[in-house]
């Protein structure tokens, strides 16, 4: 039995390592090819050395991560408990760190090192901006093809299915080995306890251990400014579904863990243990409070509840702070160290978002479209670069002081270096209030307070690797495609490399919604020529048979806002070297945490435990550690933020004094000039657009008629539309179709 377990552990580890290696190599293959082509324009030695550094960093990060996974695999095995643990405790559980020393080194330090080194890698990669078309030919491309399109999982690719299977195998493996080792050395919790009762208790105790594995990964997908997600080609937006999956898994396991213990206490007449808050062991009361809080979070996150009562879900989810505190008090700091990396990095990101959101961003102008859509144009620093399909979170205190809403950026940081734009279509009370507020303005506008977090998005425009890009949208889903089209226009005008042919398939309910295509046109200034790219727009109006006269001649309105000394242009949190500064914050905050922890343990806790008859309170240790985590993160992040703010203050003052071309001469609300309606961009847009009334797009026919060898299918719209496109691409009838969806809701 022991030999078979060891063999299974070794096989599981090797399989996981091979899959991870293949995934990382696939995701970085296109970047390597881009760097190969780039060296033709730069000094070979310098370009080659930087490429080697990045390749070396990727390999080092992969080795560290695989080693970390191996420790999770070995954690429940008998040899780890009986052979490794005593040796690790002697070496690592020193009087400076205490009982959490081994877990800090084995489970916390590797991920913190990966996060810091990833910042260096991403900084080096950002200095080699992609100016060439990517190659998509890869033997592993099939792993990114959808293989499962079905509720409740939604759209699942081969790669996601493989890694999900590996994760489930890890949990089954862990539970089986925990029970195997525990049953060999059965511990009777109470005098007179029967064997079956001890085994019953062991099952539900170990279910809690396995649930902890889910929590070790839970916070990585929702860390928006993560330095780890980009390494595997993910964004926080595309990773939200992993957070939801992990949340459901952990909720089921912790529910079984909690209910099982209540049954155990009832069967053994020990219900009083449910009220126990031990001084030298785990607190049962804290665990029960954490479970009740998690039930509230889980109940409001059910899709039906979340869609109908989003604000309830949103505010209830902030109970994660309460949950983390009581979860820590329940399991103790030594075991909490196994999930500490994800929590640590999430708290850094959350505090940096808080710092960024404290400033008011200068809103230069707003464009009110007749299709109940508003385009907001913000001033930004020219050093702030972002990729197409990036997102920002905005807050407008005059509408709601607490609500933050995500929107896709429609501007292009290359074509519009001083402006960041986003489009908001009415779809709820918040957006409707904003539309009414701006529509009613008919005089000089001094200011509209707006705060922004972001932008967040992919590191590079990966969609350029396709020969043909079919963009399928429904309603407001067209907004990320606007930024893609603008990027292709920029590439076409500044590079000799081929750009993909663009086919935009947009479905709208009403003919008035066709006005969203106006987002492709510049609000003013130098127009860009849409005729320079190979663009085909197929617009479908599904509920009308012809364009209505009431909306056919309505034009957008432009509202200009006066400059205000209290507003600032949008900048990256740490300026142009954000990744390096993030690495500094991660490294310095973690080192400070270890120093404070060592000082407290050596000169306060250790003397009490060793030199007196007292025992330092088990929960007190945990609270000290969490306090140090928060203080160190706040100190390191605030210091880095203030340092960069001081250095960038001169540039910000200069940007405030610039009169942007989007402002009308008198600062008044104006309608679009008639001459612009006949401009070259508008004519090009009209020529590229075919409008179909009273019908829906036949996606199967459209996609199967794309005969090019490499066709990207990018979908953003209702769930039914995304699922339909995913099923077509995964049918196996067209191997040239490569599917990708943009949505928080899969």
């Amino acid at each position: 039995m022991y030999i078979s377990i060891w063999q299974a552990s070794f096989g599981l580890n090797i399989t996981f390592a091979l899959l991870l290696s293949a995934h990382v190599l696939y995701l970085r293959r296109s970047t390597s090819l881009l760097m190969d082509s780039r060296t033709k324009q730069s000094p070979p030695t310098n370009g080659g050395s930087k490429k080697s550094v990045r390749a070396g960093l990727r390999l080092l990060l992969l080795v560290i991560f695989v080693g970390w996974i191996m420790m999770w695999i070995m954690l429940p095995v008998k040899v780890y408990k009986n052979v490794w643990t005593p040796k690790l405790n002697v070496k690592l559980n020193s009087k400076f760190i205490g009982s959490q020393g081994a877990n800090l080194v084995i489970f916390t330090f590797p991920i913190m090192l990966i996060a810091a080194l990833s910042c260096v890698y991403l900084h080096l990669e950002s200095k080699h901006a992609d100016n060439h078309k990517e190659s998509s030919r890869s033997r592993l491309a099939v792993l990114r093809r959808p293989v499962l399109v079905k509720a409740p999982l939604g759209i699942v690719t081969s790669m996601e299915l493989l890694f999900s299977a590996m994760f489930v195998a890890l949990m089954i493996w862990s539970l089986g080995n925990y029970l195997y080792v525990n049953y060999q050395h059965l511990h009777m919790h109470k005098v007179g306890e029967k064997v079956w009762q001890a085994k019953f208790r062991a099952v539900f105790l170990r279910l809690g251990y396995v649930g902890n594995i889910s929590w070790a990964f839970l916070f990585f997908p929702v860390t928006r400014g993560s330095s780890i997600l980009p390494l595997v080609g993910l964004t926080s937006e595309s990773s939200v579904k992993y957070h939801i999956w992990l949340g459901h898994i952990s909720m089921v396991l912790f529910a079984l863990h909690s209910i099982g213990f209540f049954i155990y206490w009832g069967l053994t007449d020990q219900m009083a243990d449910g009220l126990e808050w031990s001084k030298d062991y785990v607190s049962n009361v804290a665990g029960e409070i954490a479970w009740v809080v998690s039930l509230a979070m889980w109940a409001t996150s059910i899709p039906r509840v979340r869609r109908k009562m989003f604000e309830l879900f949103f505010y209830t989810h902030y109970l994660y702070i309460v949950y983390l505190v009581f979860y820590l008090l329940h399991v103790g700091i030594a075991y909490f160290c196994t999930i500490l990396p994800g929590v640590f990095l999430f708290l850094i990101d959350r505090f940096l978002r808080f710092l960024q959101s404290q400033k008011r961003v200068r809103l230069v102008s707003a464009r009110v479209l007749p299709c109940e859509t508003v385009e907001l144009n913000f001033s930004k620093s020219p050093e702030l670069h972002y990729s197409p399909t990036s997102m920002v979170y905005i807050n407008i205190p005059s509408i709601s002081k607490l609500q933050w809403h995500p929107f896709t950026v429609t501007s292009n940081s290359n074509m519009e270096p001083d402006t960041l734009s986003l489009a908001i279509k009415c779809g709820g009370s918040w957006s409707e209030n904003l539309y009414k507020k701006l529509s009613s303005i008919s005089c000089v506008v001094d200011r509209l307070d707006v705060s922004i977090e972001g932008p967040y998005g992919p590191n590079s425009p990966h969609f350029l690797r396709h020969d043909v890009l079919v963009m399928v949208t429904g309603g407001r889903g067209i907004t990320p495609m606007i930024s893609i089209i603008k990027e292709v226009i920029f590439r076409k005008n500044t590079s000799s490399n081929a750009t993909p042919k663009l086919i935009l398939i947009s479905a709208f309910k009403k003919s008035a919604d066709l006005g969203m295509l106006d987002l492709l046109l510049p609000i003013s200034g130098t127009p860009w020529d849409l005729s320079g790219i190979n663009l085909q727009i197929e617009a479908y109006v599904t509920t009308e048979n012809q364009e209505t006269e009431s909306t056919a001649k309505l034009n957008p309105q432009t509202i200009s806002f006066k400059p205000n000394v209290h507003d600032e242009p949008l900048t990256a949190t740490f300026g142009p070297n954000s990744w390096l500064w993030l690495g500094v914050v991660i490294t310095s905050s973690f080192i400070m945490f270890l120093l404070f922890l060592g000082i407290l343990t050596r000169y306060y806790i250790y003397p009490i435990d060793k030199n007196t008859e007292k025992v330092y309170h088990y929960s007190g240790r945990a609270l000290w550690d969490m306090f140090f985590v928060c203080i160190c993160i706040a100190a390191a992040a605030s210091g880095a933020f203030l340092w960069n703010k001081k250095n960038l203050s001169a540039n910000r003052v200069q940007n405030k004094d610039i009169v942007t071309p989007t402002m009308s001469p008198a600062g008044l609300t104006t309608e679009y000039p008639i001459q612009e309606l006949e401009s070259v961009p508008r004519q090009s847009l009209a020529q590229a657009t075919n409008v179909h009334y009273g019908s829906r797009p036949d996606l199967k026919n459209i996609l199967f008629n794309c005969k090019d060898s490499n066709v990207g299918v990018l979908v953003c719209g209702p769930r039914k539309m995304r699922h339909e496109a995913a099923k077509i691409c995964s049918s196996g009838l067209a191997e040239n179709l490569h599917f990708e969806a943009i949505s928080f809701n899969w």
Side-chain angles (χ1 to χ4, degrees), residues 222 224-225 236 314 318 346 349-361 378 384 390-396 401-409 420 422 450-457 570-573:
V222 289
R224 295 177 191 167
S236 59
F314 181 79
Y318 272 94
F346 172 79
D349 177 71
R350 188 65 191 88
F351 190 74
L352 291 176
R353 285 159 45 195
F354 167 76
L355 292 177
Q356 186 187 26
S357 66
Q358 295 309 295
K359 68 178 183 180
R360 294 290 185 255
V361 179
F378 299 92
L384 175 61
S390 293
M391 303 190 72
V392 295
Y393 288 73
I394 72 168
N395 169 260
I396 302 179
K401 294 182 178 180
L402 297 178
Q403 292 185 34
W404 287 82
H405 293 267
F407 297 100
T408 308
V409 174
L420 181 142
L422 55 91
V450 183
S451 295
I452 291 182
E453 292 179 0
Y456 308 103
L570 180 64
T571 60
T573 307

Side-chain angles (χ1 to χ4, degrees), residues 129-201:
D130 167 23
N131 287 319
H132 298 275
K133 181 181 175 180
E134 299 183 46
S135 172
S136 66
R137 298 185 181 277
S138 173
R139 296 177 182 177
L140 298 177
V142 66
L143 295 179
R144 296 183 63 83
R145 189 182 299 275
V147 294
L148 180 65
V149 185
K150 189 176 182 181
L153 294 180
I155 303 170
V156 182
T157 65
S158 301
M159 184 65 72
E160 291 172 337
L161 193 61
L162 286 172
F163 274 88
S164 298
M166 296 301 299
F167 184 78
V168 172
L170 175 62
M171 291 193 296
I172 296 174
W173 158 267
S174 299
L175 180 60
N177 278 274
Y178 276 134
L179 294 178
Y180 170 71
V181 174
N182 189 269
Y183 283 1
Q184 283 190 331
H185 306 279
L186 204 58
H187 173 69
M188 302 301 177
H189 186 61
K190 297 285 186 180
V191 177
E193 185 179 38
K194 298 179 181 179
V195 173
W196 74 267
Q197 293 173 340
K199 290 185 175 181
F200 185 88
R201 178 180 181 275

Side-chain angles (χ1 to χ4, degrees), residues 34-42 127-129 131-132:
L34 288 172
M35 294 308 107
D36 288 339
S37 61
R38 192 174 183 81
T39 55
K40 298 177 182 179
Q41 300 179 3
S42 58
K127 298 303 180 182
H128 292 259
N131 287 319
H132 298 275

Side-chain angles (χ1 to χ4, degrees), residues 159-316:
M159 184 65 72
E160 291 172 337
L161 193 61
L162 286 172
F163 274 88
S164 298
M166 296 301 299
F167 184 78
V168 172
L170 175 62
M171 291 193 296
I172 296 174
W173 158 267
S174 299
L175 180 60
N177 278 274
Y178 276 134
L179 294 178
Y180 170 71
V181 174
N182 189 269
Y183 283 1
Q184 283 190 331
H185 306 279
L186 204 58
H187 173 69
M188 302 301 177
H189 186 61
K190 297 285 186 180
V191 177
E193 185 179 38
K194 298 179 181 179
V195 173
W196 74 267
Q197 293 173 340
K199 290 185 175 181
F200 185 88
R201 178 180 181 275
V203 170
F204 293 100
L205 175 64
R206 303 308 175 184
L207 282 172
Y209 284 18
V210 175
N212 195 67
I213 299 175
S214 298
W215 268 78
F217 294 88
L218 186 69
F219 286 91
F220 292 114
V222 289
T223 304
R224 295 177 191 167
S226 172
S227 61
I228 294 178
L229 292 179
L231 292 178
V232 289
L234 295 174
T235 63
S236 59
E237 173 201 346
S238 63
S239 305
V240 167
K241 64 179 180 181
Y242 308 136
H243 173 78
I244 298 175
W245 292 353
L246 291 168
H248 286 312
I249 292 173
S250 63
M251 189 62 220
V252 170
L253 292 172
F254 287 146
L256 292 174
H257 169 75
S258 302
I259 294 172
F261 264 89
F262 279 112
I263 295 174
Y264 166 78
W265 290 329
L267 292 175
T268 57
D269 297 323
Q270 301 177 45
M271 290 300 294
D273 285 359
L275 302 176
E276 181 182 15
W277 196 302
S278 176
K279 183 178 181 180
D280 56 359
Y281 195 55
V282 300
S283 166
N284 292 332
V285 176
E288 292 155 7
I289 295 174
W291 181 50
V292 171
V293 171
S294 69
L295 282 175
M297 295 169 62
W298 176 79
T300 56
S301 66
I302 296 174
R304 183 172 297 179
V305 177
R306 186 178 71 245
R307 295 191 193 103
K308 293 184 177 180
M309 297 179 286
F310 181 81
E311 291 185 24
L312 176 65
F313 153 77
F314 181 79
Y315 296 130
T316 304

Side-chain angles (χ1 to χ4, degrees), residues 312-424:
L312 176 65
F313 153 77
F314 181 79
Y315 296 130
T316 304
H317 232 60
Y318 272 94
L319 291 174
Y320 76 85
I321 300 172
V322 178
Y323 180 89
L324 279 176
V325 171
F326 285 98
Y327 180 82
L328 170 61
L329 295 174
H330 176 60
V331 302
I333 188 60
Y335 207 73
F336 188 76
C337 286
T338 57
I339 73 168
L340 181 59
V343 175
F344 203 107
L345 296 174
F346 172 79
L347 291 178
I348 290 177
D349 177 71
R350 188 65 191 88
F351 190 74
L352 291 176
R353 285 159 45 195
F354 167 76
L355 292 177
Q356 186 187 26
S357 66
Q358 295 309 295
K359 68 178 183 180
R360 294 290 185 255
V361 179
R362 184 189 166 197
L363 178 60
V364 177
S365 64
R367 181 159 49 163
V368 182
L369 305 178
C371 54
E372 296 187 332
T373 301
V374 174
E375 181 187 45
L376 302 181
N377 302 284
F378 299 92
S379 173
K380 84 169 186 68
S381 170
E383 290 80 18
L384 175 61
H385 293 280
Y386 51 86
S387 294
T389 72
S390 293
M391 303 190 72
V392 295
Y393 288 73
I394 72 168
N395 169 260
I396 302 179
S398 60
I399 298 178
S400 174
K401 294 182 178 180
L402 297 178
Q403 292 185 34
W404 287 82
H405 293 267
F407 297 100
T408 308
V409 174
T410 57
S411 56
N412 181 273
S413 60
N414 294 313
M415 298 179 66
E416 302 154 283
D418 299 317
T419 306
L420 181 142
S421 304
L422 55 91
I424 302 172

Side-chain angles (χ1 to χ4, degrees), residues 561-596:
F561 297 86
K562 286 186 176 181
N564 191 292
V565 294
H566 299 291
D567 294 339
E568 301 177 357
L570 180 64
T571 60
T573 307
F574 292 132
N577 295 317
S578 289
W579 285 122
L580 282 184
W581 277 105
L582 178 60
V584 170
V585 171
I586 292 172
T587 304
S588 59
S589 59
F590 187 63
I591 291 176
M592 282 194 293
F593 166 70
L594 295 179
L595 288 175
F596 286 145

Side-chain angles (χ1 to χ4, degrees), residues 57 94 110 112 139 156 252 293 444 548 613 618 647 658 683 703 744:
L57 277 174
S94 67
M112 299 305 294
R139 296 177 182 177
V156 182
V252 170
V293 171
V444 177
T548 59
E613 295 181 356
Y618 193 80
N647 291 340
I658 297 175
Q683 291 177 2
L703 295 179
F744 277 109

Side-chain angles (χ1 to χ4, degrees), residues 12 45 60 118 277 304 334 444 448 550 620 713:
L12 187 63
T45 303
L60 176 61
S118 298
W277 196 302
R304 183 172 297 179
V444 177
L448 180 64
S550 59
V713 181

